[in-house]
Each structure stands twice: as C-alpha cells, then as structure tokens.
Amino acid sequence: MKRIITSSLILFFALAIAFAGNPDRQGESGAGELLFNPWARSAGLHTLGTASIRGVEAMRLNVAGLGRINKTELLIANTRLFVGTEMQLNAIGLAQKLGENSTLGVTLTSVDFGEIPITTTLQPEGTGGTYSPNFFHLGLGYSYTYANKISVGLLVRGVSESLANVSAFGIALDAGVQYVSGEKDNFKLGISLRNVGSPMRFSGEGLSFEVDNPGTSGEYKITFDARAEDFELPSVLNIGLSYDQYFADDLIMIRGLANFTSNSFSQDQIGVGAEFFFKDFIALRAAYKVDIGSVNAGEQNVYSGLAAGLSLDLPLNNNSDKKIGIDYSYRTTDPFRGSHNFTVRLAI
C-alpha cells in the first residue's frame, strides 16, 4: 500500500508540472535534433516506453532504465529521417555494468544532412560547391538500481552544432526514475526529464561582415561582429505506465503501455502502445500518438499518428544469455514520408 501511495503521489506531482507548460512558445527552441530517436525498438513505440525502456536505448528517453541489462550491451543504429529529405541519423552506444547495482553508458549521435548546394546573393543558383553541417551529441549516463525495484539515473550530454565558420555548443542534462512491482515485475512506472541545460548561441567568423569606413572613400574597411540570439534546448517531461501479461507458460508476453509527454516548446502529446513477445525470440510492437488540445494547421508535432516495428533476437550459443538482435521500425510523419530506423544489438 505504501508503494502504491508513493507512486500515485509521484505521478500526481509530475502531471501537475507537466500541464503547467506554455504552448505559446511553439517553435522557439533550438537543437531540435535532441528529440530524434535513433534506436529502432523504442522508435517502434513512438518513444512512449518511459516505464519499460532499458539498456542503451534508455539514454534517449529515461536514463533510469540504463542498468536493466545483464552485463554489456552495444548498439549501432542508422535512421533514414523524413524520407525525401536525404537526412540520416547515426548512433552508437555502449552500456556496461559496474558491480551489481551500478551501470555506466556512453552514446554518440550525429546527424547527416547530405550535401547542400552553396548559394550566395551574387550566385543564387549555386556556386557549384556543397557543404554539410556537423551536428554531434556525446552523452555519458549513470544508473543505479536498488533491489531491482527502483532505478534512478542521470545523464550529461554535450551538444555541438557547427558549419565551417559558425558553431554553437551546449550542455544538456537528463534525469529519470523507474519503479517496478508485481510478482513477475508486471507493473512499471517511469518519469523522466530531458534536455534541461544552458542556452546555446552561434558565434564565429561567419557572423562577421565588412563595411566601408566613413570618410575614407571606401579605401578602408571596418569589420563588425553580429551577435546571434540565444536559444533554449527543447526540454521534455515524460510520464509512462506499462503492464505485462504472460500466457502459455510464459512463452508469450503482451505488454500494454501509455505515455504522456509535455513539450516545453510545442504541443503536449499522449500515446498508447503494445508489444508482443514470443520466447524472447521475436517481438512485434505498435503505437499511436496524438497532440493534445486545439492544434492549427502547421503547428502539429512532426511525429504523431502510427508507429510500428519488429525485433529478432538470436542467441550466440545454445542456452546462452548472449544474444545478437536486429530491430526495425517505421514512424509516420507530417509532413514527409515517414522515418525508417535500423538497429543492431549485441548483449553479452
């Protein structure tokens, strides 16, 4: 009863904070790539698994789940973002147990924008050259699990955005908690707060320009530095619940989940999903997510609607916990033609 009361109080408090958001700040944040999910398993659930997510993927949603692995987990992922834009998201992550209760993880994520033609005011049709921005995120996370029931986690992420002569850098913090209960750990509750950090600002030679020095007939130039405006990180609060039901002597497990997302700079969202597991060999999943409240045309979150995915887990040896997994997911987007996620997992 104490656990139920405590969980209810935590959920009520988090919901009170979540609904205190300000939708009028739509589109005022930067570093929107922090909201992209490169991992296929959680992407197949529309990133709704705040309560049940685990391992390396937890560092993108709820770092508290980082420690729920056997010993070591390595993930490599590629995402075709917004099909038709030629954008890709690449990521690699490693999680390692440090003793019985502690886990340390690291992730590196980059956005590939493809080759963009260079245009100028004098050559608006293009100079013949191309460029590509460099967006990188390096995250270091730590999770502690107490009695396999309560997990807490903290993550620090460095955010770098740059061109050849302009760059910005910031620090983002993530924190989360997961609570597990039930005879077979059926019930799960998760709360996470993401992307809380310092404002970012672009600077560099690319923001400098020259003008004629008055009174010199253009013989001498003066260089001015334009000061770019600060921009905030896209902070997000997630609250999730999940419940597992077992069938056929535990050969089949079905998980239902629900999640509420409060976005500081866009519409809040709510979603539901389900996963089907058979013999820890194959998993199928699907989810549906919608924006909350009145949304005008052009103000919707890009990721809404349906998402689905599947996973295959193959043991490296007979009767071994060491596995290699392949994950795929598809998410609908508005606009564009959706996003495709591919992930290869190694768990030992």
Side-chain angles (χ1 to χ4, degrees):
M1 181 60 67
K2 289 181 180 179
R3 292 176 179 175
I4 294 174
I5 293 174
T6 302
S7 300
S8 300
L9 288 174
I10 293 174
L11 182 60
F12 175 80
F13 178 73
L15 282 171
I17 297 175
F19 280 104
N22 182 8
D24 294 335
R25 304 171 71 187
Q26 179 95 6
E28 294 182 7
S29 69
E33 71 278 4
L34 286 170
L35 302 178
F36 296 163
N37 185 358
W39 313 116
R41 276 192 301 181
S42 52
L45 287 171
H46 250 326
T47 319
L48 300 177
T50 306
S52 58
I53 197 168
R54 63 184 182 178
V56 170
E57 296 198 32
M59 288 189 282
R60 206 64 177 183
L61 177 57
N62 185 356
V63 66
L66 173 64
R68 298 189 180 277
I69 58 174
N70 291 330
K71 184 177 180 181
T72 305
E73 188 177 63
L74 174 67
L75 270 65
I76 300 175
N78 171 264
T79 302
R80 293 181 59 200
L81 278 172
F82 315 132
V83 173
T85 65
E86 299 185 1
M87 292 176 59
Q88 296 191 57
L89 186 66
N90 300 300
I92 183 170
L94 175 67
Q96 177 65 52
K97 280 277 193 180
L98 302 176
E100 183 178 352
N101 300 318
S102 300
T103 305
L104 189 67
V106 60
T107 61
L108 177 63
T109 308
S110 67
V111 184
D112 183 358
F113 291 88
E115 298 298 325
I116 303 173
I118 297 175
T119 61
T120 67
T121 54
L122 298 178
Q123 294 176 289
E125 299 299 324
T127 65
T130 60
Y131 74 98
S132 182
N134 295 310
F135 282 24
F136 291 96
H137 302 157
L138 178 63
L140 181 64
Y142 174 80
S143 175
Y144 184 86
T145 303
Y146 177 75
N148 197 40
K149 294 298 181 182
I150 298 177
S151 300
V152 295
L154 180 67
L155 181 140
V156 180
R157 195 187 317 274
V159 183
S160 175
E161 300 181 352
S162 66
L163 296 174
N165 52 9
V166 176
S167 64
F169 182 81
I171 298 293
L173 299 177
D174 294 3
V177 59
Q178 281 184 342
Y179 171 72
V180 177
S181 182
E183 181 180 352
K184 298 180 180 179
D185 295 338
N186 306 69
F187 173 78
K188 300 178 178 67
L189 165 69
I191 302 174
S192 70
L193 183 62
R194 300 191 56 237
N195 305 330
V196 177
S198 61
M200 295 176 61
R201 175 190 291 179
F202 282 99
S203 63
E205 295 182 0
L207 297 178
S208 300
F209 60 95
E210 291 185 339
V211 298
D212 293 337
N213 188 353
T216 62
S217 301
E219 185 177 353
Y220 299 103
K221 301 287 185 179
I222 297 178
T223 300
F224 288 89
D225 291 328
R227 297 183 60 185
E229 184 70 26
D230 293 349
F231 58 89
E232 300 288 338
L233 301 180
S235 301
V236 176
L237 176 66
N238 288 287
I239 305 165
L241 299 168
S242 73
Y243 187 81
D244 303 338
Q245 185 66 53
Y246 292 86
F247 303 92
D249 295 327
D250 296 346
L251 294 178
I252 296 175
M253 191 265 279
I254 297 178
R255 171 178 293 155
L257 53 87
N259 195 86
F260 170 79
T261 302
S262 175
N263 294 295
S264 297
F265 295 92
S266 65
Q267 295 289 332
D268 295 339
Q269 294 181 298
I270 191 169
V272 294
E275 290 184 281
F276 172 87
F277 297 87
F278 178 70
K279 288 186 176 181
D280 292 328
F281 168 68
I282 186 170
L284 302 174
R285 55 186 62 91
Y288 189 82
K289 184 165 63 173
V290 296
D291 295 341
I292 298 176
S294 176
V295 180
N296 297 322
E299 294 183 358
Q300 297 91 342
N301 287 284
V302 65
Y303 282 122
S304 57
L306 289 171
L310 61 88
S311 298
L312 295 176
D313 289 273
L314 305 174
L316 297 179
N317 300 303
N318 291 333
N319 301 320
S320 173
D321 291 335
K322 300 179 180 179
K323 296 181 179 181
I324 183 170
I326 301 174
D327 308 315
Y328 167 77
S329 71
Y330 173 78
R331 290 172 289 171
T332 58
T333 60
D334 183 17
F336 312 115
R337 300 197 300 273
S339 293
H340 300 268
N341 290 65
F342 301 90
T343 303
V344 176
R345 292 179 287 108
L346 179 63
I348 59 177

